[in-house]
């Protein structure tokens, strides 16, 4: 190992307190990137995969009632790729484990699952049989919250008639990744669930045989969404259409997209704050270190080390802090990222949701941290490099002081020497002195060496 | 050419080619409100294998002259040529290469890196030198073979200065510039340090310039130059170099 690198390691060890403090700040920045951005990447990739696999619709519209024959006209709207009509309704459920009536959002399903938009992902049991009018599949979280398993019976009041329904399976749907009861903002899995029932059973039960009251559709890649929505609204207006809406207004997607945006923002903002603090600290610490190593800088230069080599040596202090912070940050970020994604899994249901550690993200986070640290260190390093060796060899000249306004007015004599010392320091560096003028007298020694104050001001 | 430089040439002997030629070297420090004339049109030749002693009181300009010869500083006016290198016209990169390849420095206060052992302090220089001697050999040369793994804080002042000399000579410099090498040492320790410098000059053939305000040390050199107020006021060529046993201060 080169002697200069040994110096680096020993100096870093000597300043281990400061180095660890900076590394801790850097590690929080990197940890936040890996936790937040990692969670964002995991969630958004799971979401994209889920939407793709289950053919998540682009447009929804509810209406009073329309004949099934209208389906062809909807499909004929330019830009529409696939259309599903269905029957949906809210019904009261009698859940034994809940004192008050629960609500079930009933959604019709058909056998042609290959063409179904928002296809179900079965977690347990099986799909409903077209030959059985009392079979249902219930949402996973509702089943878990109420300890329902396939084979249990669920009593519901549909269109004023009480019916005993056989639970044959539990499932999740991309439309209910985040399922909230009507009018609520938080999920209530015990008192609200999604119930999927065969169209042939649910239609007649709700007087919707041969009719539908909801349409979902996907659009072709270059479709004009606004135009499709307008045409759809015009077409369904006579049938009590309540206005088509796109993914951005679909409740579950809206909540999930909002959360993803928030996680992404936090994954950018929080690291930025911590890395700025780290850069500031590095500027201060390195500025002080270089001020104390003034003659060492001179010696290195005298023996032929170039400005680049001297600058690189001191920049490596910043990189040591970043490296240390990176090790802690990557370990912590990976662990917290898994925990965070696990936490999201409790609120959002995906068929597969797991934290995937991204080396690209880690390298990027460490790279940005290194750049921030280098930026923070650069000012201090530049001062070291700019010092001519002959000048650096001499003791630092005394800091320039002049009588301030107070003294020029002849009032200085009214103060004791210590008071004049405070006043001159405050007048010389008002920027650094202003937050805590009373402390300035006690810091005068370090100020007069011209390091901490000027560094703080410059920074 | 000033009368002083003529006498210098006569004192040095005209048949030899100088390794350093300084002509009309001036240095002015602009201190804002005042200008300090540290050197005033100084002429100086320094010859291969010579041991030159620069005498003078504080502020006489001898350190400034040494810094300019060593490429640590540049003159305000005049020319300084080292062999075929015009130091007065060199940029920072050329001066760095010049210092790296040709010059060794010994400072009054040793200026060792406190976080490195004696051996590592020497390696700091040998790491970047073209054909250095091993650090252990350099330390052996100054009699510190058994102290090479000690940190500066574990060494006496004399030992630290010998480490500094080992560090300076390890790269086999063409010229060794010593600024008050005994200034912080007692008589006996100072003599040991001077003995090492004399040995390096004699055995390795390194050209050495020693700054001191101790007139007694002048007897050790081939030539003695006395400076005052930024000018050379006296040149003396010693008929023979005195031995260390002959000098006292």
């Amino acid at each position: 190992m080169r002697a200069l690198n040994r110096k680096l390691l020993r100096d870093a060890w000597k300043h281990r307190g400061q180095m660890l403090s900076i590394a801790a700040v850097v590690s929080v920045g990197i940890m936040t990137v890996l936790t937040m951005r990692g969670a964002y990447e995991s969630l958004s990739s799971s979401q994209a995969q889920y939407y793709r696999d289950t053919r998540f619709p682009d447009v929804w519209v509810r209406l009073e009632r329309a004949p099934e024959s209208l389906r062809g006209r909807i499909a004929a709207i330019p830009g529409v790729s696939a259309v599903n009509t269905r029957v949906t309704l809210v019904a009261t459920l009698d859940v034994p484990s809940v004192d008050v009536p629960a609500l079930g959002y009933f959604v019709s399903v058909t056998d042609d699952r290959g063409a179904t938009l928002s296809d179900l992902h079965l977690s347990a049991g099986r799909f409903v049989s077209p030959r059985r009018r009392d079979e249902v599949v219930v949402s996973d979280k509702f089943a878990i919250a109420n300890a329902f398993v396939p084979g249990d019976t669920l009593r519901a009041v549909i269109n004023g008639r009480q019916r005993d329904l056989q639970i044959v399976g539990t499932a999740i749907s991309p439309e209910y990744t985040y399922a909230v009861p009507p009018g609520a903002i938080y999920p209530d899995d015990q008192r609200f669930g999604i119930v999927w029932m065969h169209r042939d059973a649910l239609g007649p039960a709700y007087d919707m045989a041969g009719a539908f009251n909801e349409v979902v559709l996907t659009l072709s890649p270059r479709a004009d969404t606004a135009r499709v929505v307008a045409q759809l609204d015009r077409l369904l207006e006579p049938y009590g259409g309540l206005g088509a809406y796109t993914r951005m207004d679909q409740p579950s997607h809206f909540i999930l997209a909002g959360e993803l945006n928030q996680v992404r923002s936090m994954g950018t903002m929080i690291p930025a704050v911590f890395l700025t603090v780290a850069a500031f600290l590095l500027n201060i610490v390195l500025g002080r270190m270089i001020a104390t190593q003034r003659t060492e800088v001179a010696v290195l230069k005298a023996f032929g080390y170039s400005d680049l080599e001297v600058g690189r040596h001191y920049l490596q202090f910043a990189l040591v802090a970043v490296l240390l912070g990176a090790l802690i940050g990557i370990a912590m970020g990976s662990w917290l990222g898994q925990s965070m994604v696990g936490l999201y899994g409790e609120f959002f249901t995906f068929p597969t949701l797991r934290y995937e550690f991204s080396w690209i993200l880690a390298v990027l986070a460490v790279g940005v941290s290194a750049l921030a640290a280098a930026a923070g260190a650069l000012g201090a390093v530049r001062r070291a490099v700019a010092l001519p060796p002959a000048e650096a060899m001499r003791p630092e000249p005394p800091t320039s002081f002049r009588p301030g306004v107070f003294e020029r007015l002849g009032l200085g004599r009214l103060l004791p020497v210590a008071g004049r010392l405070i006043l001159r320091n405050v007048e010389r560096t008002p920027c650094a002195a202003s937050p805590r003028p009373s402390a300035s007298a006690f810091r005068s020694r370090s100020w007069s060496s011209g390091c901490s104050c000027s560094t703080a001001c410059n920074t | 050419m000033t009368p002083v430089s003529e006498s210098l040439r006569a004192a040095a002997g005209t048949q030899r080619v100088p390794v350093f030629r300084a002509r009309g070297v001036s240095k002015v420090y602009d201190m804002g409100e005042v200008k300090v004339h540290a050197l005033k049109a100084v002429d100086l030749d320094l010859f291969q294998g010579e041991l030159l002693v620069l005498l003078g009181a504080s502020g006489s300009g001898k350190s400034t002259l040494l810094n300019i010869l060593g490429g640590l500083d540049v003159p305000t006016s005049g020319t300084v040529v080292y062999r075929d290198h015009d130091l007065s016209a060199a940029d920072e990169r050329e001066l760095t290469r010049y210092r790296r390849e040709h010059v060794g420095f010994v400072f009054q206060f040793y200026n060792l890196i406190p976080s490195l052992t004696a051996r590592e302090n020497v390696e700091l220089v040998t790491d970047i030198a073209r054909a250095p001697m091993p650090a252990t050999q350099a330390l052996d040369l100054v009699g510190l073979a058994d102290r090479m793994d000690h940190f500066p804080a574990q060494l006496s002042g004399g030992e630290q200065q010998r480490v500094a000399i080992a560090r300076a000579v390890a790269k086999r410099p063409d010229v060794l510039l010593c600024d008050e090498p005994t200034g912080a040492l007692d008589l006996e320790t100072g003599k040991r340090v001077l003995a090492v410098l004399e040995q390096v000059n004699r055995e390795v053939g390194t050209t050495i310039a020693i700054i001191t305000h101790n007139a007694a040390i002048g007897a050790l050199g081939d030539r003695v130059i006395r400076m005052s107020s930024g000018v050379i006021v006296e040149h003396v060529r010693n008929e023979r170099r005195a031995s260390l046993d002959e000098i006292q201060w």
Side-chain angles (χ1 to χ4, degrees):
Chain A
M1 185 189 283
R2 286 176 55 140
L4 200 59
N5 292 334
R6 286 208 181 96
K7 176 183 179 304
L8 170 75
L9 293 180
R10 291 198 185 127
D11 285 349
W13 178 249
K14 186 183 170 192
H15 295 90
R16 57 190 176 276
Q18 288 118 311
M19 298 298 272
L20 274 175
S21 307
I22 296 164
V25 177
V26 169
S27 74
V28 174
I30 292 172
M31 182 188 77
T32 318
V33 170
L34 291 179
T35 304
M36 297 296 189
R37 295 291 301 200
Y40 168 77
E41 300 286 348
S42 300
L43 279 170
S44 59
S45 75
S46 295
Q47 179 203 36
Q49 179 73 30
Y50 190 25
Y51 281 10
R52 200 164 43 244
D53 291 349
T54 56
R55 296 172 294 280
F56 189 61
D58 294 308
V59 179
W60 288 255
V61 61
R62 287 182 187 142
L63 56 143
E64 290 292 324
R65 180 191 174 91
E68 188 60 25
S69 57
L70 198 65
R71 185 178 177 282
R73 290 175 63 191
I74 296 170
I77 295 173
V80 172
S81 171
V83 180
N84 275 188
T85 59
R86 63 193 188 188
V87 175
T88 59
L89 61 108
V90 176
T92 306
L93 304 177
D94 183 9
V95 177
S97 59
V98 184
D99 294 339
V100 294
L103 286 180
Y105 190 77
F106 281 72
V107 182
S108 68
V109 289
T110 62
D111 297 327
D112 188 10
R113 291 184 62 193
T116 301
L117 304 182
S118 288
D119 191 23
L120 300 185
H121 178 91
L122 279 171
S123 306
R126 60 172 174 79
F127 202 66
V128 290
S129 166
R131 291 183 294 279
R132 296 288 303 270
R133 298 296 173 97
D134 60 344
E135 286 185 355
V136 292
V137 170
V138 297
S139 54
D140 227 15
K141 291 201 166 179
F142 177 68
I144 291 167
N146 294 294
F148 285 133
V149 291
D152 286 350
T153 301
L154 177 66
R155 183 165 290 172
V157 180
I158 300 174
N159 210 17
R161 288 184 61 193
Q162 184 174 297
R163 298 185 60 162
D164 285 334
L165 304 170
Q166 190 77 28
I167 297 173
V168 296
T170 64
I172 60 172
S173 160
E175 285 184 75
Y176 307 102
T177 302
Y178 187 81
V180 291
I185 53 170
Y186 295 112
D188 185 349
D189 293 328
Q190 209 168 19
R191 293 193 295 174
F192 178 72
I194 313 299
V195 183
W196 290 278
M197 202 168 169
H198 201 279
R199 174 84 176 265
D200 294 346
L202 190 60
Y206 196 48
D207 295 333
M208 285 277 178
F212 61 87
N213 66 351
E214 187 170 298
V215 179
V216 292
L217 50 91
T218 55
L219 302 176
S220 52
R222 291 181 185 171
D224 183 342
T225 307
R227 197 165 172 172
V228 172
V229 166
Q231 285 186 267
L232 195 58
D233 283 345
R234 270 199 302 277
L235 183 64
L236 295 178
E237 194 180 0
Y239 304 97
L242 298 175
Y245 57 92
T246 60
R247 279 187 185 183
M248 288 313 297
D249 295 316
Q250 200 273 336
S252 171
H253 180 83
F254 177 80
I255 297 283
L256 180 56
E259 191 63 32
L260 282 172
N261 276 336
Q262 199 176 336
V263 173
R264 187 177 55 184
S265 302
M266 284 170 71
T268 308
M269 290 297 293
I270 295 176
V273 170
F274 277 93
L275 292 181
T276 305
V277 173
F280 175 79
L281 289 177
L282 270 168
N283 187 285
I284 299 285
V285 169
L286 272 184
R288 289 186 173 188
M289 184 199 280
I290 289 168
T292 60
Q293 294 193 355
R294 185 181 162 95
T295 51
E296 292 179 27
V297 171
V299 165
L300 290 175
K301 288 182 150 195
F303 282 104
Y305 280 88
S306 66
D307 288 353
L308 186 70
E309 288 165 320
V310 173
R312 195 169 56 203
H313 170 65
Y314 285 103
L315 267 181
Q316 281 170 343
F317 279 95
L319 297 182
V320 167
V322 169
L323 194 67
L324 204 59
L327 291 175
I328 301 167
I330 288 173
M332 292 288 290
S334 172
W335 175 68
L336 269 178
Q338 289 177 38
S339 306
M340 186 130 182
V341 168
L343 193 64
Y344 274 115
E346 291 181 17
F347 290 93
F348 300 102
T349 47
F350 291 96
T352 51
L353 177 61
R354 65 171 180 272
Y355 178 78
E356 286 178 13
F357 180 78
S358 164
W359 278 110
I360 295 173
L361 199 61
V363 168
L364 200 68
V366 175
V368 171
S369 302
L371 281 178
L378 208 59
V381 170
R382 202 163 45 204
R383 283 196 293 279
V385 165
L387 214 54
E391 188 186 327
M393 207 69 77
R394 291 190 289 270
E396 203 169 0
T399 310
S400 174
F401 277 91
R402 293 166 186 279
V405 176
F406 195 75
E407 289 177 273
R408 286 201 295 274
L409 291 172
L411 302 173
R413 277 169 295 178
L414 299 175
L415 289 171
V417 174
R420 273 177 260 171
L421 180 65
I422 294 170
L423 202 65
R424 285 171 194 166
N425 275 320
V426 170
E427 286 187 4
R428 191 174 71 84
T429 53
C431 155
S434 55
R436 45 186 188 285
S438 62
S440 61
F442 304 102
R443 297 183 60 206
S444 58
R445 198 173 156 201
S446 65
W447 282 14
S448 59
S449 70
C451 54
S452 63
C453 175
S454 58
T455 310
C457 278
N458 293 342
T459 307
Chain B
M1 187 175 289
T2 64
V4 168
S5 67
E6 284 167 11
S7 65
L8 180 156
R9 177 169 291 185
T14 51
Q15 76 285 8
R16 300 170 68 190
V17 178
V19 286
F20 275 106
R21 285 174 63 87
R23 292 292 178 268
V25 173
S26 295
K27 181 68 184 179
V28 180
Y29 291 109
D30 192 345
M31 310 295 279
E33 292 172 6
V34 292
K35 290 186 188 305
V36 176
H37 292 261
L39 288 177
K40 298 168 188 169
V42 169
D43 294 345
L44 176 70
D45 287 343
L46 193 57
F47 298 90
Q48 177 66 47
E50 186 178 32
L51 199 160
L52 177 78
V53 177
L54 279 148
L55 288 172
S58 295
S60 61
K62 53 191 191 304
S63 289
T64 304
L65 179 60
L66 202 76
N67 285 341
I68 290 173
L69 292 179
L72 292 176
D73 209 346
V74 287
T76 309
S77 63
T79 58
V80 179
V81 177
Y82 167 79
R83 296 191 195 276
D84 54 347
H85 302 283
D86 185 353
L87 302 183
S88 43
D91 59 20
E92 188 50 46
R93 180 180 293 190
E94 289 167 322
L95 287 177
T96 298
R97 198 169 65 219
Y98 161 70
R99 292 196 298 265
R100 180 183 289 217
E101 293 175 0
H102 301 290
V103 191
F105 290 97
V106 177
F107 306 105
Q108 180 179 1
F109 295 108
Y110 334 128
N111 290 3
L112 299 178
I113 306 292
S115 56
L116 296 179
T117 63
R119 186 210 309 255
E120 289 161 354
N121 263 286
V122 178
E123 285 171 348
L124 199 63
V125 173
T126 59
D127 279 347
I128 59 166
R130 276 194 304 188
M133 66 176 77
T136 49
Q137 186 186 335
L139 285 163
D140 194 28
L141 188 71
V142 298
L144 286 175
D146 57 336
R147 307 282 281 167
M148 59 179 68
D149 290 324
H150 288 66
F151 285 90
Q154 298 169 307
L155 300 170
S156 69
E159 287 172 329
Q160 287 184 58
Q161 191 60 298
R162 282 190 282 156
V163 173
I165 294 170
R167 180 178 64 179
V169 300
K171 67 159 128 174
R172 304 183 202 274
D174 298 314
V175 60
L176 192 58
L177 304 174
C178 312
D179 193 349
E180 303 269 13
T182 58
L185 303 175
D186 59 60
L187 174 65
E188 284 310 311
T189 315
K191 278 189 170 183
R192 289 196 67 182
V193 166
L194 289 172
V196 172
L197 290 174
E198 198 274 336
Q199 180 192 355
V200 168
N201 174 252
R202 184 166 28 84
E203 293 180 3
V204 186
T206 307
T207 305
I208 297 180
I210 298 174
I211 280 184
T212 180
H213 53 251
N214 186 343
I217 294 174
L220 293 176
D222 294 303
R223 274 193 299 146
V224 181
I225 288 173
R226 190 179 297 277
M227 294 189 70
S228 178
S229 301
V231 295
I232 294 173
V233 293
E234 184 185 7
H235 282 96
V236 176
R237 182 174 178 80
N238 293 326
E239 289 302 316
R240 71 171 188 88
R241 280 161 50 167
S243 73
L244 276 165
D245 297 332
E246 296 174 65
I247 62 165
Q248 289 293 331
W249 66 82

